[in-house]
Amino acid sequence: MSVETTVNGEPEEQIETEWTEYGFGGDAAFSVRDLDVYYDDDRALRSIDIDIPEESVTALIGPSGCGKSTFLRCLNRMNDRIRAARIEGSVAFRDRDIYGTDVDLVELRRRIGMVFQQPNPFPKSIRDNIAYGPRKHGDINTGLLSRLLGGDDREREEELVERCLRGAALWEEVSDRLDDNALGLSGGQQQRLCIARALAVDPEVILMDEPASALDPIATSKIEDLVEDLAEEYTVVIVTHNMQQAARISDQTAVFLTGGHLVEYGDTDQIFENPQSQRVEDYITGKFG
Amino acid sequence: MISSIRPYRSRLDALSERATDEVVAGAIGALSVVAFGALFLALPTYSVFPVVTFALAAAYGWYRNQGATAKSLTFLATASTVIILGLIVVYLLWKSLLVFRIMGLDLFRLASPFWETSKRTFALTPMIWGTVVTTLIATCVAGPLGIAGAIFIAEMAPPRARGVVKPAVEMLAGIPSIVYGFIGFNVVNPAMSDYLGLVSLGSLFAVGLVIGVMALPTVVSVAEDAVTAVPDEMTDGALALGTTDWQSIKSVVIPASFSGLSAAVLLGIGRAVGETMAATVMLGHNQALPDPLYDVFANTETLTTLIASQYGNAITRDDFMSALFAAGVVLFVTVLCLSLLSRYIEARMQSTLGGST
Amino acid sequence: MSASHASSATIEDDRSGVARSAATTAVGLSVLTMLLAVANVLNWITTDASVASVALSTLYGVALAVAGVVTVAVGLLSASAVIDANANDTSGVLSGLPVGLLALSVVGLVASQTLGYGVAIWAPAALVCAVAAFLFGSLAREDLTATLPWGGFALFVAAVLLAGVITPSWTWDPRHLGVALTGTITVPCLAFAASLATAWAAAKATQGFGARGRQAGAYLLIGANALFMLSLLVLLVAFVVEKGAGHALRGIHLGPGLSVHVPFVMNGAGLGYDIDGVFPAIVGTFWLVFGALVFAVPLGVGAAVFLAEYAERGRFTTVVDIATDGLWSTPSIVYGLFGYAFILPRLSPGGRPNVLAGMLVLGFMLIPLVLITSREAIDSVPDAYRDASVALGVGRWETIRSVVLPAAVPGVITGIILGVGRIAGETAPIILVAAGGLNADPIRVIHGFRFTSSPPFVANDALLSATNALPYQVYAVIETGVGGSESFGWASAFVLLLVVLCFYAVGIATRMYFQRKLER
């Protein structure tokens, strides 16, 4: 599917945002059209049009306050939690408008996982953190009654915990202390635990909001390796303010600039080597931002 | 905890050197405090002299070295809280000594006769039972309803409603207990006898209900603070996994705020145990165990109402008065244990949650 | 059980369907029934009354029958897959327990009381039924366990009411308990319980059971609880106002000039007044609170400064923390005892109750309230302020005085106001140490000072005499009938409530004002 740049879009707005047309192969996981977000009266995002392809890493970069995190939180409707936020335009996930009236938020968020800027494990054991989602969805049953009646999914749970922790490259470090409180882990471990926790509900997309910004360089590189691995199976959308990081791990890059404009979107190599607009070039080369 | 990481303070202290006259002023101040204590206990009218010397010493110190004087004065204020608590403990124990000597452990005997003041029999068992029953009923009202109310305010109510409801609830926590007592006496007691055909006015059940309603706003307010203190990121984490709001409240918010919630309930229990006026005006003051024991509609007595209602009769008799002080000791120990328990739970939760803040 | 989450599931939620709108109707009907039952308990409607020429208990019966039938039907249809739902295959212990308890109480009561079986029969019967119900409630499909028991209970209650087994004139004397349960209260209580049950069950059905169904059920219960609680508390205040305001404002007139004369608030009690008033009590409360403030605020704030600014954490601070907690939680009557034993004999010969003792005892009670809030306020002043001041070479006390305390003042003042609201309403300690009957005239503290030749050289007879106070006034009306009528008591309670709630309102408003200012 190719990008249609002018769907619903106002021409002036298009010119103002210096939208660069770019096409890519594969299906779009998200098709965003003419998305505006307001916090009370402040406009955080302006007429965003973007298609995010499946099974690849899409990086959202830009200076702080440019609205890239806001955009990310639109994709699984976490912005609904902020009461002052008002959203206009459309966001389609797999061709279904996720802002429609009959959308089931619970199912949507189960299918679109999210990893936050600050690691936020629950104050429970490592095992319970991973099994939290499947248990809540009724996929794994370890309640008292099922244990008594033998309908206990303990083995399946063990297997799931190991698979997810391996998937998040954390298994080696914590396999001998799965029952310890997750808050005892280091920051980097906590963040990988949060990734493992998101994997456990078997999402189709993983959104990451600056997942490495609170971590040291070693933990950061582990997370980056992990993101590249994840892209083989999942669609990953990652917000980062670190341009080297975006260049290293992403397939596509979208550059947001101050005021909530999506200025340029395309192949990562192309964006970093041959940006179309002067502003993006200035930002990437560090002249501004 | 915060204060330990402010190293500059101790360094600054070392820098300030003390002149001789300041030390003398300090010594005079300290001596007059001790003298005041001694004189107030023995010859209270003469305690005016140390008060004057203390004021002079403090004024001189304030003029010479404000910093050191301020530190000493604030230290004195801090020590006064410990001293007051100490005095309360000592005087309660001292005054109740007599009845302990008369009754021994029979103060808590399990068989009648319990309370016959003319025969110098003062067993507190019926009153303790009354306190236990009213507290249980009150907790059943205030605990679950209070926590549910807190969850409603913190997690479910729209922000505008919350801005109104929270202060309103806090205000209602301030309604004096005598007002509840007045309502209980004039409205609840008659209604109980209408609906339930109670022979006598007043029952442990009615008192428990009223105390429960009275403790409700306090429980809601403290529990709401605890629920609000759970970081949003944690709830976000659960929601992003595709749980419903209720699932995230049940399995993340409530466990994470468990210590605060239990502190709220313990606080409610503490209020119920110590509640005096509502119970005093509603009950019929019959110092006997209900028969059968589980008859919550009986008209007996609690520890607090015993003191409030009987002290007029006891004022001329040392042994009787001493029994009331023993009731005070039991009350005091109970609420102190409750407050220590809530402190312990909080400390334990904090250590398990580690650096979750 | 994971069928509902198969990857084929769509993100659209199916909320349409006749069954769900029927369930919504059942929720509405149940809620209306609940409200009716509450009005009934509050005696706004009497149980033997009739609404639109239908007897109230018949109305309950019909409403419950409809709600029960709908609930059961939705559950059965969902279980037989006629309608879409995402119910779990088993329900779990938490669902089984209430079902078991329901069976235990219904079967137990019916077998022992209605059918009159002895304990040898009803106890085992109830137990067996309870276990069976528990197993059903835990193991059966969620849509069945959520609806059948509760809908069934509503149908049972409906049958009992419609068949006239329990009527408004029915009574029941449980053995051993000193009560006789009347139909007047039993009918609305049963109706309330049954309609609550159907409302809960039907709310689950509106969302097609499953996690979302449970959320709907829980939110309904919690929302109903919050509504109930708030209305109860508002009702309490409104009730006192309604009962007391009339008497308190009786004989109010303007003039001379711009002044307003409110006899109840401005008169004393006695022969000289046309309308007996509570002025002496108000003055008494004022002096008690004033004295407590003078005594407690310096100590409380001073201790807070020491703990927050000077003290290193260690054994001493732990002891102080425990002492503060202890003082905070000590029941007021215990303070009264302490004042009686320690202060009274030292202040007045013969240990008679007096104002000064009341001030001191209320002051003791105020110290921990002031200390805790002040300490929080001082602790919440950012360290950056202190660092900035110290980095400029300013001493520690100077920093506290000129930077920390000004920043903490709003919090400290809020704490003091709220503390005053609390002690102004205290009755128990006053009875023991300060109160004595209704005074005809207010105490005159300011004019009472005089100098004497022997220590302590200053004397004030007013401070050493007993006084009246607002909370004591209310107590006296109940205990001894002093001041006469019940309406006098309601009016005193109204004035007391007004004073205390004003303190709280001001305190809370101040706090919110400064909080909002800080957040900006």
Side-chain angles (χ1 to χ4, degrees), chain B residues 266-282:
Chain B
L266 284 176
L267 192 70
I269 296 179
R271 275 205 75 171
V273 170
E275 173 42 43
T276 312
M277 291 325 294
T280 304
V281 298
M282 285 177 72

PDB file of all heavy atoms in Angstrom, chain B residues 266-282:
ATOM      1  N   LEU B 266      -7.577   0.918  60.234  1.00  0.00           N
ATOM      2  CA  LEU B 266      -7.128   0.927  61.630  1.00  0.00           C
ATOM      3  C   LEU B 266      -7.474   2.252  62.298  1.00  0.00           C
ATOM      4  O   LEU B 266      -7.856   2.299  63.470  1.00  0.00           O
ATOM      5  CB  LEU B 266      -5.613   0.685  61.703  1.00  0.00           C
ATOM      6  CG  LEU B 266      -5.188  -0.758  61.476  1.00  0.00           C
ATOM      7  CD1 LEU B 266      -3.672  -0.862  61.478  1.00  0.00           C
ATOM      8  CD2 LEU B 266      -5.751  -1.660  62.560  1.00  0.00           C
ATOM      9  N   LEU B 267      -7.326   3.320  61.537  1.00  0.00           N
ATOM     10  CA  LEU B 267      -7.687   4.627  62.060  1.00  0.00           C
ATOM     11  C   LEU B 267      -9.164   4.656  62.427  1.00  0.00           C
ATOM     12  O   LEU B 267      -9.556   5.162  63.489  1.00  0.00           O
ATOM     13  CB  LEU B 267      -7.396   5.683  60.993  1.00  0.00           C
ATOM     14  CG  LEU B 267      -7.431   7.123  61.434  1.00  0.00           C
ATOM     15  CD1 LEU B 267      -6.254   7.387  62.322  1.00  0.00           C
ATOM     16  CD2 LEU B 267      -7.390   8.021  60.224  1.00  0.00           C
ATOM     17  N   GLY B 268      -9.979   4.091  61.532  1.00  0.00           N
ATOM     18  CA  GLY B 268     -11.412   4.019  61.807  1.00  0.00           C
ATOM     19  C   GLY B 268     -11.684   3.202  63.061  1.00  0.00           C
ATOM     20  O   GLY B 268     -12.483   3.590  63.909  1.00  0.00           O
ATOM     21  N   ILE B 269     -10.974   2.080  63.196  1.00  0.00           N
ATOM     22  CA  ILE B 269     -11.151   1.251  64.394  1.00  0.00           C
ATOM     23  C   ILE B 269     -10.760   2.043  65.630  1.00  0.00           C
ATOM     24  O   ILE B 269     -11.459   2.034  66.649  1.00  0.00           O
ATOM     25  CB  ILE B 269     -10.308  -0.039  64.283  1.00  0.00           C
ATOM     26  CG1 ILE B 269     -10.818  -0.891  63.113  1.00  0.00           C
ATOM     27  CG2 ILE B 269     -10.360  -0.829  65.570  1.00  0.00           C
ATOM     28  CD1 ILE B 269     -10.023  -2.154  62.915  1.00  0.00           C
ATOM     29  N   GLY B 270      -9.632   2.764  65.516  1.00  0.00           N
ATOM     30  CA  GLY B 270      -9.179   3.571  66.649  1.00  0.00           C
ATOM     31  C   GLY B 270     -10.228   4.582  67.070  1.00  0.00           C
ATOM     32  O   GLY B 270     -10.507   4.763  68.254  1.00  0.00           O
ATOM     33  N   ARG B 271     -10.829   5.237  66.078  1.00  0.00           N
ATOM     34  CA  ARG B 271     -11.873   6.211  66.391  1.00  0.00           C
ATOM     35  C   ARG B 271     -13.057   5.528  67.049  1.00  0.00           C
ATOM     36  O   ARG B 271     -13.655   6.064  67.975  1.00  0.00           O
ATOM     37  CB  ARG B 271     -12.334   6.929  65.117  1.00  0.00           C
ATOM     38  CG  ARG B 271     -11.472   8.102  64.772  1.00  0.00           C
ATOM     39  CD  ARG B 271     -12.238   9.132  63.944  1.00  0.00           C
ATOM     40  NE  ARG B 271     -13.177   9.884  64.755  1.00  0.00           N
ATOM     41  CZ  ARG B 271     -13.844  10.941  64.319  1.00  0.00           C
ATOM     42  NH1 ARG B 271     -13.680  11.357  63.092  1.00  0.00           N
ATOM     43  NH2 ARG B 271     -14.673  11.581  65.096  1.00  0.00           N
ATOM     44  N   ALA B 272     -13.400   4.355  66.539  1.00  0.00           N
ATOM     45  CA  ALA B 272     -14.565   3.656  67.088  1.00  0.00           C
ATOM     46  C   ALA B 272     -14.310   3.238  68.529  1.00  0.00           C
ATOM     47  O   ALA B 272     -15.192   3.351  69.384  1.00  0.00           O
ATOM     48  CB  ALA B 272     -14.900   2.442  66.234  1.00  0.00           C
ATOM     49  N   VAL B 273     -13.083   2.773  68.809  1.00  0.00           N
ATOM     50  CA  VAL B 273     -12.768   2.352  70.173  1.00  0.00           C
ATOM     51  C   VAL B 273     -12.858   3.539  71.120  1.00  0.00           C
ATOM     52  O   VAL B 273     -13.400   3.443  72.225  1.00  0.00           O
ATOM     53  CB  VAL B 273     -11.346   1.732  70.226  1.00  0.00           C
ATOM     54  CG1 VAL B 273     -10.913   1.522  71.661  1.00  0.00           C
ATOM     55  CG2 VAL B 273     -11.308   0.422  69.478  1.00  0.00           C
ATOM     56  N   GLY B 274     -12.325   4.676  70.682  1.00  0.00           N
ATOM     57  CA  GLY B 274     -12.231   5.817  71.580  1.00  0.00           C
ATOM     58  C   GLY B 274     -13.454   6.700  71.586  1.00  0.00           C
ATOM     59  O   GLY B 274     -13.520   7.658  72.339  1.00  0.00           O
ATOM     60  N   GLU B 275     -14.426   6.384  70.740  1.00  0.00           N
ATOM     61  CA  GLU B 275     -15.594   7.245  70.633  1.00  0.00           C
ATOM     62  C   GLU B 275     -16.388   7.255  71.938  1.00  0.00           C
ATOM     63  O   GLU B 275     -16.697   6.218  72.489  1.00  0.00           O
ATOM     64  CB  GLU B 275     -16.480   6.759  69.481  1.00  0.00           C
ATOM     65  CG  GLU B 275     -17.793   7.463  69.383  1.00  0.00           C
ATOM     66  CD  GLU B 275     -17.683   8.951  69.589  1.00  0.00           C
ATOM     67  OE1 GLU B 275     -16.739   9.539  69.033  1.00  0.00           O
ATOM     68  OE2 GLU B 275     -18.499   9.526  70.319  1.00  0.00           O
ATOM     69  N   THR B 276     -16.680   8.439  72.424  1.00  0.00           N
ATOM     70  CA  THR B 276     -17.303   8.545  73.732  1.00  0.00           C
ATOM     71  C   THR B 276     -18.720   9.082  73.678  1.00  0.00           C
ATOM     72  O   THR B 276     -19.667   8.448  74.145  1.00  0.00           O
ATOM     73  CB  THR B 276     -16.474   9.486  74.630  1.00  0.00           C
ATOM     74  OG1 THR B 276     -15.122   9.113  74.535  1.00  0.00           O
ATOM     75  CG2 THR B 276     -16.944   9.401  76.047  1.00  0.00           C
ATOM     76  N   MET B 277     -18.870  10.282  73.106  1.00  0.00           N
ATOM     77  CA  MET B 277     -20.108  11.016  73.362  1.00  0.00           C
ATOM     78  C   MET B 277     -21.333  10.348  72.749  1.00  0.00           C
ATOM     79  O   MET B 277     -22.361  10.213  73.402  1.00  0.00           O
ATOM     80  CB  MET B 277     -19.972  12.455  72.852  1.00  0.00           C
ATOM     81  CG  MET B 277     -19.005  13.273  73.651  1.00  0.00           C
ATOM     82  SD  MET B 277     -18.976  12.888  75.400  1.00  0.00           S
ATOM     83  CE  MET B 277     -20.607  13.405  75.884  1.00  0.00           C
ATOM     84  N   ALA B 278     -21.226   9.945  71.472  1.00  0.00           N
ATOM     85  CA  ALA B 278     -22.393   9.349  70.824  1.00  0.00           C
ATOM     86  C   ALA B 278     -22.859   8.142  71.619  1.00  0.00           C
ATOM     87  O   ALA B 278     -24.043   7.971  71.891  1.00  0.00           O
ATOM     88  CB  ALA B 278     -22.051   8.959  69.393  1.00  0.00           C
ATOM     89  N   ALA B 279     -21.887   7.306  72.021  1.00  0.00           N
ATOM     90  CA  ALA B 279     -22.252   6.108  72.760  1.00  0.00           C
ATOM     91  C   ALA B 279     -22.818   6.462  74.127  1.00  0.00           C
ATOM     92  O   ALA B 279     -23.774   5.849  74.605  1.00  0.00           O
ATOM     93  CB  ALA B 279     -21.029   5.213  72.901  1.00  0.00           C
ATOM     94  N   THR B 280     -22.229   7.477  74.769  1.00  0.00           N
ATOM     95  CA  THR B 280     -22.684   7.822  76.114  1.00  0.00           C
ATOM     96  C   THR B 280     -24.148   8.247  76.116  1.00  0.00           C
ATOM     97  O   THR B 280     -24.929   7.826  76.966  1.00  0.00           O
ATOM     98  CB  THR B 280     -21.832   8.971  76.684  1.00  0.00           C
ATOM     99  OG1 THR B 280     -20.482   8.579  76.644  1.00  0.00           O
ATOM    100  CG2 THR B 280     -22.230   9.274  78.105  1.00  0.00           C
ATOM    101  N   VAL B 281     -24.527   9.094  75.152  1.00  0.00           N
ATOM    102  CA  VAL B 281     -25.901   9.571  75.212  1.00  0.00           C
ATOM    103  C   VAL B 281     -26.884   8.542  74.668  1.00  0.00           C
ATOM    104  O   VAL B 281     -28.062   8.596  74.970  1.00  0.00           O
ATOM    105  CB  VAL B 281     -26.070  10.914  74.462  1.00  0.00           C
ATOM    106  CG1 VAL B 281     -25.216  11.971  75.115  1.00  0.00           C
ATOM    107  CG2 VAL B 281     -25.739  10.780  73.008  1.00  0.00           C
ATOM    108  N   MET B 282     -26.404   7.585  73.880  1.00  0.00           N
ATOM    109  CA  MET B 282     -27.341   6.629  73.295  1.00  0.00           C
ATOM    110  C   MET B 282     -27.572   5.401  74.177  1.00  0.00           C
ATOM    111  O   MET B 282     -28.633   4.797  74.127  1.00  0.00           O
ATOM    112  CB  MET B 282     -26.859   6.174  71.914  1.00  0.00           C
ATOM    113  CG  MET B 282     -27.070   7.220  70.842  1.00  0.00           C
ATOM    114  SD  MET B 282     -26.415   6.694  69.273  1.00  0.00           S
ATOM    115  CE  MET B 282     -27.606   5.445  68.816  1.00  0.00           C
TER     116      MET B 282
END
